[in-house]
Amino acid sequence: MLNISGLKNGVVIDHIQAGGAFEIYNYLNLDKEDDCSVAIIKNAKSNKTGKKDMIKIEGPIRADLDILGALSPNLTINIIKDGTIVEKRHLSLPETVTNILKCRNPRCITSIEQELPHKFKLADKNTGIYRCIYCEQRYSNRS
Amino acid sequence: MKHVISPLDLSVDELDAVLSLAEKIIDHPENYKTVCQGKKLATLFYEPSTRTRLSFEAAMLNLGGNVLGFSSADSSSASKGESVADTIRVISSYADICAMRHPKEGAPLVAAQYSSIPVINAGDGGHNHPTQTLTDLLTIKKLKGRLNNLTIGLCGDLKFGRTVHSLIRAMIRYDNVKFVMISPDELRIPDYLRTEVLDAQNIPYKEVNVLEPVMPELDLLYMTRVQRERFFNEEDYIRLKDSFILNAKKMKYAREDMLVLHPLPRVNEISTEIDDDPRAVYFKQAQYGVYARMALIMTLLGLDGDGLC
């Protein structure tokens, strides 16, 4: 088990789908957060899914974390204050997300009209599948 | 104001109303020849199409309306880099209703978001083609007399064939509809359609590789073309294009009242030797496409044709 006791005040984004940490890192613009220390843990052992990614952030973070469920279903957010977990959030999946997921279908209108917002709708709550509202292509962070 | 971007944009009740109107038009076309007088249809075709564009134009002309538009992206401002949103904003001030075909999936939805006139999707890439579905439903209703209690064979390119995907989604809204999918393994229906649509709603279906043994089960056989433009790889296209050719020999296995439908154009997947078979209704289907579009144009313009029959 990884030790998170080193965090004093910050956030642990846990149970990220293995391989998905960098996408969340980029979405949260963590490279631009000068006041935060950030650790990315890839392929940590997970009893539920075999392996998972984690992001540990020490310091204040301004981004809206609740939207992250769309990027990686099942992730949890642990808020750490004074070295202890004060809140554990299981994120619900938003019905629609705009400009968070990117449609990678080369046949989609978003592939040629760069200014269009990338909008996705939750197609299946149980599996966390999102589909592009334009082409209905399923979102995949692997493609 | 209503747009028709997906086959499911019309509820079953709305669809029934459009189909009933289309049947009235079939019976008495002369009663409708001036209902769109003074109205204009813009046909915005960003990729080549013969029958769909001409079918829309014929529909509007039959209703006494006028038509304007373009038939390829090269002859539109898209070639100068204008966005779909800007184009439709301008066209909205020129016409009363618009039919859009675009090679990119979702383009008509973008148009609908910025349009102040009804937008009809006339085909967006391999995605949706709702007026073809409307045509298919009108053909089935008119010639079979019902849209329920049907076993529908779908043959050919079930992977890329948008008409098949739309037909499945439209037909599962009716009771006791079963599907028999006949295709090579490479061209089977997409997984999401199988799991999220058919399995999720417990729709009976089976997938087979050979046409003859299932022919006697079918009320309808919907043939599709293996389309070159849907393949990235020429070798795959050449290898699969001649799969599942329907000919007179195979038709001997079919019921006397089984109908053969095809969205056209046909290449060689239906032998011309069966064109005179009364069960081959694909040319009548193309004719019904005009009536279906007439009914849809009237409905979207709020001209329900009450009192005209």
Side-chain angles (χ1 to χ4, degrees), chain A residues 76-129:
Chain A
T76 54
I77 291 175
N78 299 321
I79 310 291
I80 316 290
K81 278 190 182 158
D82 298 327
T84 57
I85 298 175
V86 294
E87 186 185 351
K88 199 176 183 93
R89 278 190 229 162
H90 292 271
L91 299 182
S92 58
L93 299 173
E95 283 296 318
T96 58
V97 288
T98 302
N99 290 335
I100 293 166
L101 310 178
K102 193 165 169 53
C103 184
R104 296 182 173 100
N105 176 8
R107 296 185 176 101
C108 181
I109 185 67
T110 54
S111 70
I112 58 164
E113 298 218 349
Q114 312 297 331
E115 291 182 9
L116 280 175
H118 285 239
K119 286 189 182 178
F120 280 76
K121 273 180 90 166
L122 182 61
D124 187 330
K125 273 183 192 165
N126 297 324
T127 53
I129 290 173

Side-chain angles (χ1 to χ4, degrees), chain B residues 24-37:
Chain B
K24 285 182 193 172
I25 296 171
I26 291 171
D27 293 340
H28 296 285
E30 68 281 3
N31 288 353
Y32 298 85
K33 63 186 181 186
T34 59
V35 293
C36 281
Q37 213 161 36

Side-chain angles (χ1 to χ4, degrees), chain A residues 106-107 109 113 131 133 136, chain B residues 84 104-105 127 192 196:
Chain A
R107 296 185 176 101
I109 185 67
E113 298 218 349
R131 290 194 178 279
I133 65 159
E136 296 182 86
Chain B
V84 167
K104 292 293 182 184
E105 299 170 4
H127 187 212
Y192 79 88
E196 292 176 32

